[in-house]
Amino acid sequence: MRTKTLNVPSALLCFFFLSCHHLLRHAQAQVPSTVGYTCSATANRTAYPCQTYALYRALSPDFLDLAAVGDLFQVSRLMISNPSNISSPTAPLVAGQPLFVPLSCSCNSPNSSISISYANISFTIKSGDTFYQVSTHNFQNLTTYQSVELVNPNLEATNLTIGVTAYFPIFCKCPNRTQFGNGTNYLISYVFQPSDNISTVASFFGVQAKAITDLNGNNIQPFDTIFVPVARLPVLSQPTVVPSAAPSGKTERKGVIRGLAIGLGITGLVLIFVVGFLIYRDGLLKKKIDGKGDEENKVLYRSKQGSERRKEMEVGLMADVSDCLDKYKVFGIEELREATDGFRESSLIEGSVYKGSINGDLYAIKKMKWNAYEELKILQKVNHGNLVKLEGFCIDSEDDCCYLIYEYVENGSLYSLLHENKNEKLSWKTRLQVAIDVANGLQYIHEHTRPRVVHKDIKSSNILLDSNMRAKIANFGLAKSGCNAITMHIVGTQGYIAPEYLADGVVSTKMDVFSFGVVLLELISGKEAIDEDGNVLWTSAGRILEGNEEEKARKLREWVDNELFLESCSIESILNVVTVAIACLHKDPSKRPTMVDIVYALSKSDDLFFDISDNGSSAPPVRAR
Ligand SMILES: *[C@@H]1O[C@H](CO)[C@@H](O)[C@H](O)[C@H]1NC(C)=O
Ligand SMILES: *[C@@H]1O[C@H](CO)[C@@H](O)[C@H](O)[C@H]1NC(C)=O
Ligand SMILES: *[C@@H]1O[C@H](CO)[C@@H](O)[C@H](O)[C@H]1NC(C)=O
Ligand SMILES: *[C@@H]1O[C@H](CO)[C@@H](O)[C@H](O)[C@H]1NC(C)=O
Ligand SMILES: *[C@@H]1O[C@H](CO)[C@@H](O)[C@H](O)[C@H]1NC(C)=O
Ligand SMILES: *[C@@H]1O[C@H](CO)[C@@H](O)[C@H](O)[C@H]1NC(C)=O
Ligand SMILES: *[C@@H]1O[C@H](CO)[C@@H](O)[C@H](O)[C@H]1NC(C)=O
Ligand SMILES: *[C@@H]1O[C@H](CO)[C@@H](O)[C@H](O)[C@H]1NC(C)=O
Ligand SMILES: *[C@@H]1O[C@H](CO)[C@@H](O)[C@H](O)[C@H]1NC(C)=O
């Protein structure tokens, strides 16, 4: 919407120049390539990445329920059922039933000579799978085996090992500014069927046939992926489920859930879950209604206690619990006791997080009171290499608590590596990589989740480093879905909290940007966000870039971690990161950059670093200036 107002003039301009219009049409008629659709990540960065949709059809026999389709595309059932006009996410599907599957579309360069746009979906090869079979059957020609080969250069297409992970590039496109300006908010990926013609596709999506040919050309072949420009998703009319099939499916589910509840011996627990799910459904409701405050809806919802409401809630609860059960392992409390030596002190990592070994695999096990639901709900929606992965959960009814079980991240927190482990110093290259990893993780939760997720507690102790020193964001305990909400209850960590949040309780993605700026300062200076005397690091940062070149250089030398002077790393690279950090710390949240801008700016720092190191010894050490 923001872009709409910006670009009306340019669209109008084009409208008046016939030749320009003509050119446009030619450029738009892009020939589908077997490897994918080329894109430009740098030409206008705002276009990529984006959230888009693909039209997928329920397919017999493997893809006849939302759980199977959701697993394939790594999204939850609700993320498909909501845009697809399906009221009961657990009901079976009818073969051929249309679904809108959400995709995170980005512009990627699988090799240095080509940039193509796709959603990167991981897929574990099972017996009998080939790139061709999975592309044409499972993904229904939303990609091609040629493209899969391009994206997986390390895999031998004719000799796939069972259990290996391949990445399937699902074709997608993001509208550029011109298209946004013309009212196109999504370019839906659609596989042209043999029974289709342009007019039937156009009327299915409620658009003009010309809009489709302008974008995809006139020579559309069956099984080509085409892009349909729409302002909003059309409402799919879903087949009414055969009456006899629906109840049986439902009772079965009910049985499973009830069985589980009894199995865990926690009938009372259901009540707690109900409250948790109430909050969850509030979030969804909020999205559906409008931007009203979270708190308001909560109150509204709780005050209505009619039996109808309760029934509705029960149905929702079923769907949502089963959503979690699909994705996560449910651990037994005995298993966890054994893994952690009875929660001995020696297994404690920090706070209430224990290290445990289950069947030879290491896990981090976090003990919680009944506040795990928020985190579970958020982690369920996200899947990114720079976010700590949740593996499962456990409910201990006797002790009235529950546990979240995460992947174990070997090298511990950035905080301890920077400030506690004085012997082992992090190189500038590693620090830069950490910054870029965290920025990517945050970009993902800010841009690719609907509603957006705000972490709210970004700090060096919530950033973990794996065995390759790649960073992962942990601890989504305070994270919040939704944006621009106001909270009364201020949470977070001193030294990292954005001033507007402290003052007014305004929650926005820009508060994470602020905290990220503080983490950058820690990486540059090696100092803690708040020192023993209570001095807050960020308050002194603004002054570094004041004054003339000489003063700047002097102040920078005072600031930068002495360890970095011992390395021959580029001062331009450091200066660039300082500039990013200071932009993040702007008092006015609207003036802070977005994580998309930050990822871009930090990659530039990375280039500066590598440019220098390529020249080897000719690189001037920091000290030289
Ligand atoms: C937007 O995309 C259309 C079609 O691909 C292209 O013709 C046009 O030049 C693009 N506009 C901008 C501003 O990139
Ligand atoms: C990207 O979009 C901005 C804002 O409309 C525009 O000023 C700029 O020229 C565009 N860049 C390119 C390379 O098209
Ligand atoms: C796809 O995603 C995985 C992890 O999420 C990443 O390791 C891989 O590099 C990505 N591949 C491409 C080509 O984007
Ligand atoms: C990159 O991929 C394209 C398309 O498959 C191919 O033509 C080209 O040779 C590749 N380039 C390199 C450097 O591998
Ligand atoms: C995908 O395309 C191939 C031909 O390229 C076709 O045989 C196959 O049926 C298509 N798959 C689906 C699910 O339509
Ligand atoms: C297939 O892959 C396996 C394991 O990756 C390897 O041991 C085997 O030699 C390969 N076979 C061929 C014919 O390349
Ligand atoms: C903009 O949209 C209108 C109507 O939706 C269409 O007629 C026109 O061709 C579009 N212009 C461009 C440049 O795509
Ligand atoms: C498209 O198909 C429909 C029905 O299948 C038919 O009525 C219509 O004439 C076709 N249109 C074109 C342009 O072929
Ligand atoms: C959703 O699907 C149902 C069943 O086909 C249909 O009756 C209903 O009209 C659809 N919803 C909307 C808003 O069109």
Side-chain angles (χ1 to χ4, degrees):
M1 268 176 219
R2 177 172 33 115
T3 41
K4 198 177 265 176
T5 49
L6 269 175
N7 284 282
V8 169
S10 62
L12 275 180
L13 213 67
C14 269
F15 194 74
F16 285 119
F17 291 96
L18 266 172
S19 58
C20 172
H21 193 216
H22 181 76
L23 263 177
L24 247 169
R25 269 164 78 184
H26 264 270
Q28 282 171 343
Q30 193 185 357
V31 186
S33 142
T34 50
V35 294
Y37 296 81
T38 53
C39 57
S40 163
T42 46
N44 221 328
R45 287 187 296 114
T46 45
Y48 288 92
C50 68
Q51 168 83 49
T52 181
Y53 294 87
L55 189 107
Y56 187 86
R57 289 180 196 277
L59 185 64
S60 180
D62 305 331
F63 299 102
L64 282 182
D65 63 86
L66 286 179
V69 181
D71 280 350
L72 180 66
F73 287 93
Q74 290 152 17
V75 292
S76 75
R77 294 175 210 225
L78 289 173
M79 288 165 78
I80 303 176
S81 62
N82 284 341
S84 306
N85 182 21
I86 293 176
S87 51
S88 164
T90 52
L93 304 173
V94 179
Q97 185 171 347
L99 305 169
F100 280 126
V101 177
L103 300 174
S104 295
C105 189
S106 56
C107 190
N108 310 279
S109 304
N111 80 27
S112 53
S113 59
I114 190 167
S115 286
I116 50 181
S117 60
Y118 57 79
N120 182 10
I121 305 284
S122 67
F123 181 90
T124 307
I125 300 291
K126 289 177 289 298
S127 164
D129 285 343
T130 61
F131 286 168
Y132 180 80
Q133 166 70 12
V134 176
S135 310
T136 58
H137 176 75
N138 302 43
F139 289 111
Q140 299 180 5
N141 294 312
L142 283 163
T143 185
T144 59
Y145 73 92
Q146 291 95 335
S147 190
V148 183
E149 284 178 7
L150 176 68
V151 169
N152 296 276
N154 54 330
L155 297 180
E156 185 69 55
T158 53
N159 183 21
L160 293 176
T161 317
I162 291 169
V164 77
T165 299
Y167 294 98
F168 279 77
I170 303 306
F171 295 155
C172 59
K173 264 189 189 177
C174 297
N176 64 24
R177 282 174 175 271
T178 318
Q179 291 160 330
F180 260 127
N182 210 16
T184 297
N185 291 319
Y186 301 105
L187 299 176
I188 298 175
S189 305
Y190 177 80
V191 176
F192 200 74
Q193 300 296 310
S195 57
D196 283 339
N197 63 38
I198 302 284
S199 357
T200 55
V201 175
S203 73
F204 180 83
F205 285 97
V207 300
Q208 300 291 319
K210 188 173 168 298
I212 296 179
T213 47
D214 277 355
L215 195 63
N216 301 280
N218 281 313
N219 185 26
I220 300 170
Q221 301 300 317
F223 304 123
D224 280 355
T225 298
I226 63 169
F227 300 95
V228 183
V230 297
R232 66 191 72 80
L233 282 183
V235 179
L236 297 176
S237 74
Q238 297 295 358
T240 34
V241 185
V242 197
S244 67
S248 80
K250 243 179 199 161
T251 14
E252 205 174 278
R253 274 283 168 200
K254 220 174 218 169
V256 170
I257 308 288
R258 194 169 287 154
L260 179 96
I262 293 164
L264 293 168
I266 39 154
T267 337
L269 170 82
V270 170
L271 199 81
I272 292 147
F273 262 105
V274 167
V275 175
F277 281 101
L278 247 176
I279 296 167
Y280 183 29
R281 299 208 69 81
D282 281 346
L284 290 177
L285 250 193
K286 177 174 167 257
K287 196 173 80 183
K288 279 188 198 142
I289 305 169
D290 58 14
K292 269 191 203 151
D294 226 9
E295 314 293 335
E296 208 177 311
N297 274 326
K298 224 173 275 175
V299 175
L300 230 156
Y301 212 155
R302 286 224 182 88
S303 62
K304 290 195 180 176
Q305 290 181 331
S307 64
E308 197 182 297
R309 181 68 72 185
R310 214 174 298 140
K311 188 149 188 256
E312 193 179 296
M313 216 167 62
E314 197 180 302
V315 173
L317 171 68
M318 300 292 189
D320 294 345
V321 169
S322 59
D323 241 29
C324 289
L325 292 181
D326 284 352
K327 277 189 106 162
Y328 298 119
K329 191 167 177 309
V330 180
F331 289 85
I333 183 66
E334 278 313 317
E335 216 173 346
L336 299 188
R337 285 218 180 91
E338 201 175 307
T340 55
D341 229 349
F343 296 103
R344 281 252 289 259
E345 196 122 330
S346 57
S347 308
L348 202 60
I349 303 173
E350 61 156 25
S352 56
V353 184
Y354 296 83
K355 174 179 173 179
S357 159
I358 301 170
N359 297 331
D361 292 323
L362 284 177
Y363 295 98
I365 300 164
K366 179 155 86 175
K367 180 174 180 172
M368 301 182 92
K369 281 290 166 192
W370 291 108
N371 51 0
Y373 187 69
E374 275 291 309
E375 184 158 359
L376 193 60
K377 166 189 120 188
I378 283 174
L379 285 172
Q380 190 207 331
K381 291 198 302 186
V382 302
N383 177 20
H384 190 272
N386 298 119
L387 308 179
V388 168
K389 195 164 155 229
L390 184 68
E391 305 278 359
F393 58 92
C394 165
I395 291 157
D396 181 10
S397 53
E398 269 170 37
D399 206 14
D400 235 11
C401 65
C402 61
Y403 298 86
L404 295 183
I405 292 103
Y406 308 87
E407 66 175 317
Y408 181 72
V409 186
E410 294 85 352
N411 270 320
S413 77
L414 177 64
Y415 178 89
S416 66
L417 283 166
L418 270 181
H419 308 305
E420 286 173 348
N421 192 347
K422 297 284 180 198
N423 304 328
E424 209 182 310
K425 275 298 172 179
L426 299 175
S427 69
W428 179 240
K429 185 170 176 238
T430 307
R431 294 181 198 213
L432 202 51
Q433 186 60 56
V434 167
I436 293 173
D437 284 345
V438 174
N440 272 317
L442 283 175
Q443 180 194 337
Y444 174 84
I445 64 167
H446 290 175
E447 304 291 329
H448 296 271
T449 54
R450 290 290 176 277
R452 293 168 182 229
V453 170
V454 180
H455 184 284
K456 290 181 76 180
D457 200 16
I458 292 297
K459 54 179 172 178
S460 53
S461 54
N462 280 341
I463 295 167
L464 306 181
L465 297 172
D466 73 7
S467 54
N468 298 317
M469 300 302 263
R470 299 303 296 260
K472 288 170 188 281
I473 302 171
N475 202 351
F476 280 75
L478 299 180
K480 195 164 171 62
S481 284
C483 220
N484 296 325
I486 310 267
T487 48
M488 296 302 147
H489 178 56
I490 300 288
V491 292
T493 305
Q494 272 283 327
Y496 294 91
I497 307 180
E500 78 277 4
Y501 177 66
L502 263 186
D504 306 322
V506 179
V507 177
S508 79
T509 52
K510 293 297 176 73
M511 66 183 286
D512 284 348
V513 170
F514 185 93
S515 312
F516 178 73
V518 178
V519 172
L520 287 181
L521 293 182
E522 281 184 84
L523 285 167
I524 299 161
S525 68
K527 295 188 177 75
E528 292 192 39
I530 185 162
D531 71 12
E532 283 144 10
D533 306 327
N535 297 318
V536 176
L537 184 62
W538 66 264
T539 53
S540 57
R543 291 192 287 273
I544 309 175
L545 295 185
E546 285 168 8
N548 60 27
E549 288 302 315
E550 203 172 298
E551 281 174 55
K552 264 196 236 174
R554 183 181 56 75
K555 276 186 286 192
L556 199 59
R557 266 196 300 276
E558 277 173 20
W559 243 79
V560 171
D561 193 342
N562 282 331
E563 285 304 316
L564 299 178
F565 290 102
L566 303 176
E567 278 183 62
S568 61
C569 73
S570 140
I571 192 149
E572 278 81 14
S573 176
I574 297 181
L575 201 57
N576 186 44
V577 178
V578 172
T579 314
V580 174
I582 288 171
C584 292
L585 297 169
H586 204 290
K587 283 249 161 59
D588 178 354
S590 68
K591 299 236 167 75
R592 289 174 208 151
T594 65
M595 287 320 295
V596 179
D597 302 324
I598 294 168
V599 168
Y600 181 75
L602 289 176
S603 319
K604 222 169 71 188
S605 225
D606 207 28
D607 290 345
L608 285 171
F609 177 85
F610 285 110
D611 281 349
I612 294 289
S613 54
D614 281 350
N615 291 346
S617 57
S618 66
V622 179
R623 194 188 276 148
R625 286 191 73 176

